[in-house]
Amino acid sequence: EVQLVESGGGLVQPGGSLRLSCAASGFTFGSYDMSWVRQAPGKGPEWVSAINSGGGSTYYADSVKGRFTISRDNAKNTLYLQMNSLKPEDTAVYYCATLGLWGQGTQVTVSS
């Protein structure tokens, strides 16, 4: 069974940082591209970032480019999202995604 379990969310002030993690199991993690997707209250899902299976290629939405960094550790079956210079508009539930599946999400709230 494929499982994606996100963690690391929380409440942070504008300008702060958080590091999200996604622990994957039930599939050969190192063989698949991975993504982060977020959904703000009352809005549809927004793709945030993606990384290829080997970790050598990364992609970002314009809204997070230069502030967020996606990475992965294939030995640990874990995906990361380092989020810096957070803004209130980054408030959302963040999901890792692959194989057409999402995890349960982790809440990120940016507020003073």
Side-chain angles (χ1 to χ4, degrees):
E1 178 188 6
V2 173
Q3 286 197 320
L4 302 168
V5 180
E6 301 91 338
S7 62
L11 173 63
V12 63
Q13 292 187 341
S17 297
L18 283 174
R19 188 193 196 201
L20 305 184
S21 299
C22 171
S25 61
F27 65 105
T28 307
F29 178 76
S31 296
Y32 292 91
D33 300 344
M34 298 292 297
S35 296
W36 286 98
V37 179
R38 68 186 180 185
Q39 187 162 18
K43 296 187 177 181
E46 176 190 15
W47 172 78
V48 174
S49 182
I51 187 167
N52 73 337
S53 59
S57 296
T58 57
Y59 310 89
Y60 299 94
D62 287 344
S63 58
V64 307
K65 199 171 295 182
R67 300 187 297 121
F68 290 11
T69 303
I70 190 171
S71 62
R72 65 191 296 161
D73 185 335
N74 286 346
K76 295 182 178 180
N77 288 356
T78 303
L79 176 72
Y80 302 101
L81 186 68
Q82 177 66 45
M83 305 187 297
N84 298 330
S85 302
L86 283 161
K87 305 175 181 180
E89 52 263 43
D90 294 318
T91 295
V93 179
Y94 284 71
Y95 302 89
C96 64
T98 191
L99 298 172
L101 300 172
W102 295 13
Q104 87 291 345
T106 187
Q107 176 70 49
V108 171
T109 302
V110 184
S111 175
S112 55

